[in-house]
Amino acid sequence: MFPGFVDVHVHLREPGFSYKETIRTGTSAAAHGGYTAVCAMPNIKPVPSTLSQLQAEIDLINRDAVIHVYPIGAITMNQTGRGELSRIEEISPYVAAFSDDGKGIQDEDLMRQAMIRISSAGKLITAHCEVESELKPGGCINEGEYSRLHGYTGINNASEYLEVQRDIRLASETGAHLHICHVSTRQSVELIREAKSNGVNVTAETAPHYLIFTDDDLEDDGKWKMNPPIRSIDDRHELLKGIKDGTIDCIITDHAPHSKDEKSKGLHDSAFGVVGLETCFPAMYHNLVLGDPENRSSNNGVITLERLLEMMCVNPRKIFGLSGPEYIEDNCEADFVIMDLGRKYIVDTDKFLSMGRSTMFGGREVQGEVVATYLGGRKVYDRYEGILP
């Protein structure tokens, strides 16, 4: 029995894009994966940049959510990444954090003002770091050996780490709490590690696909396409070092479902994004606790189970100030998950509760199955009965 997992970076797609996912299906998938709380990114329609826009999302959450859902507000109006900041003070009491995930804020002064106002409102910025001027049109995968051999336009490391570097500097200047989204490059890890040692209030997250795969594993299939892309062996090595030494604080999924058609057009033309709520813990437990992705034949893990739970249960709650217990006490009405850690199985995407099916873990062996998920002491998911009323 573990505390319920928490994912501070998911895309529930509703309102606005219910053909991809809904609050109901996304939170059902989360409960299936052992999650009792998620933070929902703001790339929905309407974008939650004013209280009236946010209310549409809150109403759906109150009606349909199976687990706790904490909205994340947009940094800029309508999440354009430029121009006018959102109604930060108006919506801050109702959101867990602020992000323009999917877009890096290019204007340094705008980001500085955002940090000042969001910090004053008692919230943190969860930043998608991407320098648009470093991106080549049509970039779809990592700029590396695979992209060169197969004729794809690559996405280079600088497009991420240059904005990580800038935002760390701004956080140091303003005193804001900066949380860096989906870290994928070795340079970003090194910058975050240095910033922490210098006392900057910075935290960071990464996802299983960056820790387990490299661009050597790519196939011409939309299930391998996400932003940022899966990087090189050297990048993965530094990310693994970062989760071991505490540079990386949280494991997230960046669960980003799309329709079958949107993900069926190969690497170049498929939409960016993969699903992950139903595979995160078993993939991490199998590959990082029981095994080592840098030595596929090794039975020696990279991290302990305790460290994995810290990154999936404890740190997300602490960093984002979310309610709920970090640890389970006897006889309390807690949010928790019961796991069968000995259960090995092949991931079958047809059994997902998410509407999304695009994941590189499909057809792969993992270990650790959710037996039941409890919210406030009430069972909401059972492996034999599914989602419970």
Side-chain angles (χ1 to χ4, degrees):
M1 183 166 66
F2 303 140
F5 306 142
V6 179
D7 191 341
V8 295
H9 192 139
V10 304
H11 301 268
L12 295 180
R13 303 302 194 198
E14 197 178 32
F17 306 96
S18 56
Y19 73 95
K20 299 174 187 276
E21 188 82 286
T22 66
I23 298 292
R24 180 70 181 181
T25 60
T27 57
S28 295
H32 182 202
Y35 290 89
T36 55
V38 297
C39 293
M41 285 295 177
N43 54 342
I44 51 179
K45 189 175 182 178
V47 172
S49 48
T50 69
L51 187 55
S52 62
Q53 292 170 336
L54 175 63
Q55 191 62 51
E57 181 183 9
I58 291 173
D59 289 345
L60 285 169
I61 290 169
N62 290 339
R63 189 188 75 185
D64 294 336
V66 174
I67 62 166
H68 300 300
V69 177
Y70 300 93
I72 289 180
I75 296 173
T76 59
M77 285 298 295
N78 299 315
Q79 204 179 0
T80 59
R82 47 179 51 85
E84 183 183 359
L85 293 176
S86 69
R87 305 293 187 264
I88 290 168
E89 293 77 13
E90 180 180 275
I91 64 176
S92 63
Y94 310 99
V95 299
F98 288 83
S99 182
D100 268 11
D101 185 46
K103 295 182 177 68
I105 294 180
Q106 306 305 299
D107 186 311
E108 179 173 323
D109 187 59
L110 186 67
M111 188 57 150
R112 181 183 290 105
Q113 292 305 312
M115 285 188 179
I116 291 169
R117 288 177 56 186
I118 290 168
S119 181
S120 295
K123 300 296 180 179
L124 70 159
I125 281 184
T126 177
H128 175 111
C129 293
E130 187 172 68
V131 181
E132 292 176 359
S133 62
E134 294 289 333
L135 298 175
K136 300 174 184 176
C140 59
I141 59 173
N142 183 53
E143 185 177 87
E145 190 67 15
Y146 187 96
S147 66
R148 288 189 290 271
L149 288 174
H150 294 84
Y152 291 106
T153 301
I155 299 172
N156 63 29
N157 282 23
S159 63
E160 175 180 296
Y161 75 75
L162 288 177
E163 194 150 295
V164 169
Q165 184 177 51
R166 184 205 71 179
D167 286 354
I168 285 173
R169 175 170 53 79
L170 292 177
S172 179
E173 291 176 8
T174 63
H177 182 170
L178 171 67
H179 181 80
I180 299 174
C181 290
H182 41 50
V183 175
S184 72
T185 73
R186 61 189 182 278
Q187 295 95 337
S188 296
V189 178
E190 291 163 353
L191 287 164
I192 295 162
R193 183 180 293 116
E194 181 183 12
K196 286 187 170 190
S197 71
N198 291 331
V200 181
N201 192 4
V202 57
T203 51
E205 63 184 42
T206 195
H209 38 274
Y210 304 119
L211 296 166
I212 296 170
F213 301 108
T214 73
D215 59 357
D216 289 338
D217 298 308
L218 293 178
E219 304 167 14
D220 187 15
D221 189 306
K223 68 184 181 183
W224 292 95
K225 185 177 182 181
M226 72 290 296
N227 187 27
I230 292 171
R231 303 285 188 179
S232 71
I233 291 173
D234 290 341
D235 292 304
R236 183 181 64 185
H237 175 78
E238 194 62 34
L239 286 165
L240 291 171
K241 183 179 175 182
I243 65 169
K244 288 175 69 175
D245 68 14
T247 301
I248 304 295
D249 302 274
C250 303
I251 300 297
I252 53 90
T253 66
D254 196 4
H255 179 84
H258 293 285
S259 70
K260 182 178 180 180
D261 178 65
E262 288 171 325
K263 293 298 290 183
S264 65
K265 300 174 182 178
L267 285 172
H268 189 268
D269 295 319
S270 290
F272 285 104
V274 294
V275 296
L277 286 168
E278 293 166 275
T279 57
C280 184
F281 180 87
M284 293 290 291
Y285 184 66
H286 179 73
N287 288 281
L288 296 188
V289 175
L290 301 179
D292 182 348
E294 295 204 318
N295 182 358
R296 304 285 185 174
S297 62
S298 171
N299 291 320
N300 298 316
V302 176
I303 56 171
T304 63
L305 176 59
E306 290 73 20
R307 174 61 179 149
L308 178 58
L309 294 176
E310 184 181 27
M311 290 186 289
M312 291 186 65
C313 305
V314 180
N315 289 349
R317 286 189 173 93
K318 284 183 176 178
I319 291 167
F320 281 72
L322 304 181
S323 60
E326 295 168 9
Y327 304 99
I328 302 170
E329 298 177 2
D330 291 340
N331 302 317
C332 75
E333 293 186 350
D335 299 343
F336 61 93
V337 57
I338 298 174
M339 300 291 304
D340 179 353
L341 291 180
R343 166 92 162 116
K344 293 182 181 180
Y345 60 98
I346 302 299
V347 174
D348 182 353
T349 59
D350 289 337
K351 294 181 179 178
F352 282 2
L353 300 185
S354 171
M355 292 168 63
R357 297 289 187 271
S358 189
T359 172
M360 67 291 299
F361 291 107
R364 295 178 184 269
E365 184 180 76
V366 295
Q367 184 166 338
E369 184 179 32
V370 175
V371 175
T373 304
Y374 287 78
L375 198 73
R378 179 178 65 87
K379 188 190 291 188
V380 295
Y381 169 79
D382 181 276
R383 69 173 163 183
Y384 299 115
E385 301 176 67
I387 297 297
L388 301 174

